[in-house]
Amino acid sequence: MTRPHVLLSVAVSIDGHIDDRGAERFPLSNAEDFDHVDRLRAESDAVLAGAETLRRDNARLLVYSDERRKRRIAAGKPEFPLRVTVTRSGDLDPELRFWHCGGERLVYTRSATTTVGHLAETKTFTDFPEILDDLGARGVGKLMVEGGTSIHTEFLRAGLADEIRVAVAPMLIGQATAPRFVNPAEFPGGPARRFHLEDVAKVGDVAVLRYLPKVTSSSRG
């Protein structure tokens, strides 16, 4: 069974945070970077975010460009990628915007029941490789993962990420307890392992770094 290519996408401050401690989402990216993310969504077969990201950001995970959606349809694809979330508890607010817009939705849960079973297909899972196996069986060739911290940590801890897109915003959060890209974990190869840096781009005032975590920097010329 072929698993999808997994792209992790994250925006961080210079001091490594993905948000501040405020109640509202802190805007790290700029308009150009948001458009780049929209393009990556349009190129993906599925877009995934964890339940906590849905709760905190009220995220929809849509492709916003009319032209990109038209190109998807012209290519024989659904207007929107499959939108996926992962939850341990199954406790998801049915009023979140995620459930009331754009295409098909899929919930992976460790709970026998969810509060949104009437709004989306749900499937139980034990570990994250199971999710990729199931998505691959559904024909998903490219999966874009947009967080949050615990979700990115699990994909990296299990060695499942093929690509990491890090948008570095020119600001400092400065709050010790603000969320970061990943939690402490035992990652493959340990702290001495160096990922291959494939590309660096300037997107407005944001630096976008593209890493290939399954390739070490010493193995590529």
Side-chain angles (χ1 to χ4, degrees):
M1 185 180 299
T2 302
R3 291 175 175 173
H5 178 94
V6 176
L7 164 66
L8 306 189
S9 177
V10 64
V12 301
S13 61
I14 290 174
D15 54 344
H17 295 285
I18 63 171
D19 205 346
D20 69 355
R21 297 305 304 171
E24 302 295 327
R25 181 184 181 187
F26 187 84
L28 286 166
S29 297
N30 57 28
E32 295 96 329
D33 185 53
F34 282 129
D35 185 67
H36 193 195
V37 168
D38 193 68
R39 178 177 65 79
L40 292 173
R41 287 180 183 174
E43 294 171 354
S44 301
D45 300 304
V47 181
L48 182 151
E52 187 57 34
T53 296
L54 298 191
R55 295 184 190 106
R56 181 172 176 81
D57 298 345
N58 203 4
R60 291 182 287 181
L61 306 182
L62 299 176
V63 175
Y64 291 100
S65 165
D66 291 339
E67 183 59 35
R68 289 172 183 139
R69 295 200 306 272
K70 289 176 182 176
R71 285 201 295 266
R72 285 181 58 87
I73 294 169
K77 298 179 180 180
E79 182 178 6
F80 297 97
L82 174 66
R83 292 175 302 132
V84 183
T85 192
V86 180
T87 173
R88 294 184 183 89
S89 67
D91 184 12
L92 293 157
D93 182 356
E95 298 304 316
L96 291 174
R97 295 185 299 176
F98 181 82
W99 311 112
H100 303 285
C101 59
E104 294 187 26
R105 298 167 294 274
L106 175 61
V107 179
Y108 290 102
T109 177
R110 287 185 170 139
S111 171
T113 60
T114 74
T115 55
V116 293
H118 60 299
L119 295 171
E121 180 184 354
T122 62
K123 187 173 180 65
T124 57
F125 79 104
T126 302
D127 56 24
F128 277 68
E130 276 184 50
I131 293 176
L132 293 189
D133 288 339
D134 184 64
L135 289 173
R138 295 169 185 265
V140 173
K142 184 173 183 180
L143 171 66
M144 183 175 180
V145 179
E146 298 196 34
T149 301
S150 62
I151 298 295
H152 280 147
T153 301
E154 287 302 312
F155 273 97
L156 288 168
R157 183 190 60 77
L160 300 175
D162 298 289
E163 186 177 344
I164 308 172
R165 179 190 185 275
V166 183
V168 183
M171 56 186 67
L172 300 168
I173 299 296
Q175 300 170 352
T177 58
R180 294 184 176 274
F181 173 29
V182 293
N183 290 319
E186 293 288 335
F187 297 113
R193 185 164 180 269
R194 299 173 71 91
F195 296 164
H196 173 70
L197 177 62
E198 181 69 10
D199 187 57
V200 180
K202 181 180 179 182
V203 181
D205 64 353
V206 168
V208 177
L209 314 177
R210 181 169 167 247
Y211 291 99
L212 306 182
K214 292 182 178 179
V215 182
T216 60
S217 61
S218 60
S219 66
R220 294 281 291 264

mmCIF file of all heavy atoms in Angstrom, residues 190-220:
data_model
loop_
_atom_site.group_PDB
_atom_site.id
_atom_site.type_symbol
_atom_site.label_atom_id
_atom_site.label_comp_id
_atom_site.label_asym_id
_atom_site.label_seq_id
_atom_site.Cartn_x
_atom_site.Cartn_y
_atom_site.Cartn_z
ATOM 1 N N GLY A 190 17.935 11.335 16.647
ATOM 2 C CA GLY A 190 18.352 12.151 17.777
ATOM 3 C C GLY A 190 18.759 13.560 17.379
ATOM 4 O O GLY A 190 18.659 13.962 16.219
ATOM 5 N N PRO A 191 19.249 14.339 18.355
ATOM 6 C CA PRO A 191 19.524 15.762 18.106
ATOM 7 C C PRO A 191 20.686 16.020 17.155
ATOM 8 O O PRO A 191 20.805 17.136 16.626
ATOM 9 C CB PRO A 191 19.827 16.309 19.506
ATOM 10 C CG PRO A 191 20.234 15.113 20.307
ATOM 11 C CD PRO A 191 19.452 13.962 19.769
ATOM 12 N N ALA A 192 21.547 15.034 16.908
ATOM 13 C CA ALA A 192 22.703 15.263 16.042
ATOM 14 C C ALA A 192 22.342 15.142 14.559
ATOM 15 O O ALA A 192 23.129 15.553 13.699
ATOM 16 C CB ALA A 192 23.813 14.276 16.376
ATOM 17 N N ARG A 193 21.185 14.596 14.257
ATOM 18 C CA ARG A 193 20.810 14.383 12.862
ATOM 19 C C ARG A 193 20.414 15.700 12.206
ATOM 20 O O ARG A 193 19.616 16.458 12.736
ATOM 21 C CB ARG A 193 19.643 13.410 12.770
ATOM 22 C CG ARG A 193 19.284 13.067 11.334
ATOM 23 C CD ARG A 193 18.411 11.834 11.264
ATOM 24 N NE ARG A 193 18.097 11.540 9.868
ATOM 25 C CZ ARG A 193 17.024 12.005 9.230
ATOM 26 N NH1 ARG A 193 16.152 12.757 9.870
ATOM 27 N NH2 ARG A 193 16.813 11.697 7.971
ATOM 28 N N ARG A 194 20.962 15.946 11.018
ATOM 29 C CA ARG A 194 20.707 17.184 10.294
ATOM 30 C C ARG A 194 19.827 16.885 9.081
ATOM 31 O O ARG A 194 20.157 16.031 8.253
ATOM 32 C CB ARG A 194 22.018 17.820 9.829
ATOM 33 C CG ARG A 194 22.955 18.180 10.968
ATOM 34 C CD ARG A 194 24.303 18.643 10.430
ATOM 35 N NE ARG A 194 24.223 19.943 9.799
ATOM 36 C CZ ARG A 194 24.416 21.104 10.433
ATOM 37 N NH1 ARG A 194 24.682 21.114 11.727
ATOM 38 N NH2 ARG A 194 24.327 22.250 9.787
ATOM 39 N N PHE A 195 18.700 17.583 8.967
ATOM 40 C CA PHE A 195 17.836 17.447 7.796
ATOM 41 C C PHE A 195 18.488 18.120 6.589
ATOM 42 O O PHE A 195 19.314 19.020 6.715
ATOM 43 C CB PHE A 195 16.478 18.113 8.027
ATOM 44 C CG PHE A 195 15.651 17.512 9.117
ATOM 45 C CD1 PHE A 195 14.574 18.206 9.631
ATOM 46 C CD2 PHE A 195 15.935 16.257 9.639
ATOM 47 C CE1 PHE A 195 13.782 17.675 10.635
ATOM 48 C CE2 PHE A 195 15.151 15.701 10.644
ATOM 49 C CZ PHE A 195 14.072 16.419 11.144
ATOM 50 N N HIS A 196 18.063 17.692 5.418
ATOM 51 C CA HIS A 196 18.528 18.345 4.193
ATOM 52 C C HIS A 196 17.684 19.586 3.923
ATOM 53 O O HIS A 196 16.452 19.518 3.867
ATOM 54 C CB HIS A 196 18.425 17.381 3.013
ATOM 55 C CG HIS A 196 18.722 18.031 1.699
ATOM 56 N ND1 HIS A 196 19.984 18.448 1.345
ATOM 57 C CD2 HIS A 196 17.907 18.379 0.662
ATOM 58 C CE1 HIS A 196 19.942 19.001 0.145
ATOM 59 N NE2 HIS A 196 18.694 18.972 -0.289
ATOM 60 N N LEU A 197 18.341 20.720 3.763
ATOM 61 C CA LEU A 197 17.675 21.972 3.391
ATOM 62 C C LEU A 197 17.585 22.023 1.869
ATOM 63 O O LEU A 197 18.583 22.183 1.179
ATOM 64 C CB LEU A 197 18.448 23.177 3.927
ATOM 65 C CG LEU A 197 17.902 24.558 3.541
ATOM 66 C CD1 LEU A 197 16.498 24.769 4.083
ATOM 67 C CD2 LEU A 197 18.850 25.651 4.046
ATOM 68 N N GLU A 198 16.360 21.887 1.348
ATOM 69 C CA GLU A 198 16.151 21.807 -0.094
ATOM 70 C C GLU A 198 16.023 23.184 -0.739
ATOM 71 O O GLU A 198 16.460 23.382 -1.879
ATOM 72 C CB GLU A 198 14.886 20.990 -0.385
ATOM 73 C CG GLU A 198 14.551 20.804 -1.844
ATOM 74 C CD GLU A 198 15.531 19.900 -2.571
ATOM 75 O OE1 GLU A 198 16.375 19.246 -1.918
ATOM 76 O OE2 GLU A 198 15.463 19.854 -3.817
ATOM 77 N N ASP A 199 15.435 24.147 -0.004
ATOM 78 C CA ASP A 199 15.159 25.425 -0.644
ATOM 79 C C ASP A 199 14.950 26.501 0.409
ATOM 80 O O ASP A 199 14.484 26.221 1.524
ATOM 81 C CB ASP A 199 13.907 25.311 -1.523
ATOM 82 C CG ASP A 199 13.651 26.565 -2.347
ATOM 83 O OD1 ASP A 199 14.545 26.959 -3.116
ATOM 84 O OD2 ASP A 199 12.571 27.159 -2.208
ATOM 85 N N VAL A 200 15.302 27.736 0.060
ATOM 86 C CA VAL A 200 15.032 28.922 0.875
ATOM 87 C C VAL A 200 14.432 29.984 -0.041
ATOM 88 O O VAL A 200 14.959 30.251 -1.121
ATOM 89 C CB VAL A 200 16.305 29.479 1.543
ATOM 90 C CG1 VAL A 200 15.979 30.711 2.372
ATOM 91 C CG2 VAL A 200 16.983 28.419 2.396
ATOM 92 N N ALA A 201 13.321 30.588 0.385
ATOM 93 C CA ALA A 201 12.674 31.611 -0.438
ATOM 94 C C ALA A 201 12.258 32.789 0.430
ATOM 95 O O ALA A 201 11.888 32.621 1.599
ATOM 96 C CB ALA A 201 11.453 31.034 -1.154
ATOM 97 N N LYS A 202 12.309 33.974 -0.150
ATOM 98 C CA LYS A 202 11.814 35.174 0.511
ATOM 99 C C LYS A 202 10.400 35.428 0.022
ATOM 100 O O LYS A 202 10.163 35.611 -1.179
ATOM 101 C CB LYS A 202 12.715 36.367 0.194
ATOM 102 C CG LYS A 202 12.270 37.651 0.866
ATOM 103 C CD LYS A 202 13.198 38.802 0.507
ATOM 104 C CE LYS A 202 12.730 40.103 1.161
ATOM 105 N NZ LYS A 202 13.581 41.249 0.784
ATOM 106 N N VAL A 203 9.438 35.428 0.932
ATOM 107 C CA VAL A 203 8.035 35.646 0.595
ATOM 108 C C VAL A 203 7.586 36.883 1.371
ATOM 109 O O VAL A 203 7.204 36.807 2.536
ATOM 110 C CB VAL A 203 7.171 34.424 0.952
ATOM 111 C CG1 VAL A 203 5.725 34.649 0.570
ATOM 112 C CG2 VAL A 203 7.706 33.173 0.269
ATOM 113 N N GLY A 204 7.659 38.037 0.730
ATOM 114 C CA GLY A 204 7.442 39.282 1.461
ATOM 115 C C GLY A 204 8.505 39.417 2.537
ATOM 116 O O GLY A 204 9.700 39.308 2.261
ATOM 117 N N ASP A 205 8.081 39.634 3.782
ATOM 118 C CA ASP A 205 9.050 39.750 4.877
ATOM 119 C C ASP A 205 9.220 38.431 5.631
ATOM 120 O O ASP A 205 9.772 38.398 6.733
ATOM 121 C CB ASP A 205 8.644 40.866 5.838
ATOM 122 C CG ASP A 205 7.320 40.607 6.546
ATOM 123 O OD1 ASP A 205 6.630 39.623 6.204
ATOM 124 O OD2 ASP A 205 6.959 41.396 7.454
ATOM 125 N N VAL A 206 8.768 37.327 5.035
ATOM 126 C CA VAL A 206 8.864 36.008 5.654
ATOM 127 C C VAL A 206 9.888 35.165 4.897
ATOM 128 O O VAL A 206 9.937 35.198 3.657
ATOM 129 C CB VAL A 206 7.484 35.307 5.641
ATOM 130 C CG1 VAL A 206 7.596 33.837 6.012
ATOM 131 C CG2 VAL A 206 6.531 36.024 6.591
ATOM 132 N N ALA A 207 10.715 34.430 5.639
ATOM 133 C CA ALA A 207 11.651 33.473 5.037
ATOM 134 C C ALA A 207 11.022 32.087 5.066
ATOM 135 O O ALA A 207 10.613 31.607 6.138
ATOM 136 C CB ALA A 207 12.969 33.463 5.797
ATOM 137 N N VAL A 208 10.911 31.442 3.913
ATOM 138 C CA VAL A 208 10.312 30.113 3.837
ATOM 139 C C VAL A 208 11.415 29.094 3.592
ATOM 140 O O VAL A 208 12.127 29.157 2.577
ATOM 141 C CB VAL A 208 9.248 30.038 2.731
ATOM 142 C CG1 VAL A 208 8.701 28.616 2.619
ATOM 143 C CG2 VAL A 208 8.115 31.019 3.027
ATOM 144 N N LEU A 209 11.553 28.160 4.527
ATOM 145 C CA LEU A 209 12.566 27.111 4.462
ATOM 146 C C LEU A 209 11.890 25.785 4.150
ATOM 147 O O LEU A 209 10.859 25.452 4.739
ATOM 148 C CB LEU A 209 13.314 27.005 5.786
ATOM 149 C CG LEU A 209 13.773 28.322 6.425
ATOM 150 C CD1 LEU A 209 14.441 28.055 7.758
ATOM 151 C CD2 LEU A 209 14.718 29.058 5.497
ATOM 152 N N ARG A 210 12.473 25.031 3.247
ATOM 153 C CA ARG A 210 11.917 23.732 2.880
ATOM 154 C C ARG A 210 12.932 22.650 3.219
ATOM 155 O O ARG A 210 14.026 22.608 2.649
ATOM 156 C CB ARG A 210 11.565 23.708 1.395
ATOM 157 C CG ARG A 210 10.967 22.403 0.913
ATOM 158 C CD ARG A 210 10.408 22.551 -0.498
ATOM 159 N NE ARG A 210 10.111 21.248 -1.064
ATOM 160 C CZ ARG A 210 10.765 20.709 -2.096
ATOM 161 N NH1 ARG A 210 11.727 21.391 -2.697
ATOM 162 N NH2 ARG A 210 10.445 19.516 -2.536
ATOM 163 N N TYR A 211 12.577 21.785 4.160
ATOM 164 C CA TYR A 211 13.451 20.712 4.619
ATOM 165 C C TYR A 211 12.906 19.352 4.195
ATOM 166 O O TYR A 211 11.686 19.142 4.130
ATOM 167 C CB TYR A 211 13.556 20.716 6.148
ATOM 168 C CG TYR A 211 14.295 21.888 6.728
ATOM 169 C CD1 TYR A 211 13.609 22.983 7.245
ATOM 170 C CD2 TYR A 211 15.698 21.908 6.765
ATOM 171 C CE1 TYR A 211 14.286 24.064 7.773
ATOM 172 C CE2 TYR A 211 16.369 22.980 7.306
ATOM 173 C CZ TYR A 211 15.678 24.064 7.807
ATOM 174 O OH TYR A 211 16.338 25.127 8.336
ATOM 175 N N LEU A 212 13.831 18.420 3.944
ATOM 176 C CA LEU A 212 13.477 17.034 3.673
ATOM 177 C C LEU A 212 13.981 16.195 4.841
ATOM 178 O O LEU A 212 15.148 15.826 4.895
ATOM 179 C CB LEU A 212 14.090 16.568 2.356
ATOM 180 C CG LEU A 212 13.791 17.416 1.125
ATOM 181 C CD1 LEU A 212 14.435 16.807 -0.125
ATOM 182 C CD2 LEU A 212 12.287 17.586 0.914
ATOM 183 N N PRO A 213 13.115 15.870 5.819
ATOM 184 C CA PRO A 213 13.585 15.237 7.051
ATOM 185 C C PRO A 213 14.021 13.789 6.904
ATOM 186 O O PRO A 213 14.665 13.252 7.812
ATOM 187 C CB PRO A 213 12.357 15.354 7.980
ATOM 188 C CG PRO A 213 11.202 15.488 7.074
ATOM 189 C CD PRO A 213 11.692 16.222 5.870
ATOM 190 N N LYS A 214 13.687 13.148 5.792
ATOM 191 C CA LYS A 214 14.134 11.767 5.604
ATOM 192 C C LYS A 214 15.502 11.688 4.904
ATOM 193 O O LYS A 214 16.017 10.608 4.658
ATOM 194 C CB LYS A 214 13.099 10.976 4.801
ATOM 195 C CG LYS A 214 11.794 10.760 5.554
ATOM 196 C CD LYS A 214 10.804 9.929 4.774
ATOM 197 C CE LYS A 214 9.528 9.698 5.577
ATOM 198 N NZ LYS A 214 8.528 8.894 4.815
ATOM 199 N N VAL A 215 16.058 12.869 4.594
ATOM 200 C CA VAL A 215 17.362 12.941 3.958
ATOM 201 C C VAL A 215 18.297 13.737 4.858
ATOM 202 O O VAL A 215 17.959 14.817 5.319
ATOM 203 C CB VAL A 215 17.262 13.650 2.572
ATOM 204 C CG1 VAL A 215 18.617 13.681 1.881
ATOM 205 C CG2 VAL A 215 16.223 12.954 1.701
ATOM 206 N N THR A 216 19.479 13.210 5.147
ATOM 207 C CA THR A 216 20.435 13.937 5.964
ATOM 208 C C THR A 216 21.253 14.870 5.078
ATOM 209 O O THR A 216 21.480 14.595 3.898
ATOM 210 C CB THR A 216 21.386 12.990 6.714
ATOM 211 O OG1 THR A 216 22.113 12.210 5.764
ATOM 212 C CG2 THR A 216 20.610 12.057 7.624
ATOM 213 N N SER A 217 21.721 15.961 5.650
ATOM 214 C CA SER A 217 22.433 16.962 4.860
ATOM 215 C C SER A 217 23.742 16.408 4.314
ATOM 216 O O SER A 217 24.237 16.858 3.291
ATOM 217 C CB SER A 217 22.695 18.217 5.697
ATOM 218 O OG SER A 217 23.500 17.900 6.819
ATOM 219 N N SER A 218 24.324 15.405 4.969
ATOM 220 C CA SER A 218 25.585 14.850 4.526
ATOM 221 C C SER A 218 25.425 13.905 3.341
ATOM 222 O O SER A 218 26.391 13.556 2.683
ATOM 223 C CB SER A 218 26.268 14.100 5.663
ATOM 224 O OG SER A 218 25.453 13.033 6.117
ATOM 225 N N SER A 219 24.185 13.483 3.053
ATOM 226 C CA SER A 219 23.974 12.506 1.987
ATOM 227 C C SER A 219 23.587 13.142 0.666
ATOM 228 O O SER A 219 23.380 12.451 -0.318
ATOM 229 C CB SER A 219 22.868 11.510 2.390
ATOM 230 O OG SER A 219 21.625 12.146 2.484
ATOM 231 N N ARG A 220 23.494 14.456 0.647
ATOM 232 C CA ARG A 220 23.182 15.164 -0.600
ATOM 233 C C ARG A 220 24.285 16.177 -0.909
ATOM 234 O O ARG A 220 24.769 16.861 -0.008
ATOM 235 C CB ARG A 220 21.830 15.891 -0.466
ATOM 236 C CG ARG A 220 20.645 14.991 -0.314
ATOM 237 C CD ARG A 220 20.223 14.424 -1.655
ATOM 238 N NE ARG A 220 19.665 15.459 -2.511
ATOM 239 C CZ ARG A 220 18.354 15.705 -2.626
ATOM 240 N NH1 ARG A 220 17.486 14.991 -1.956
ATOM 241 N NH2 ARG A 220 17.930 16.653 -3.415
#
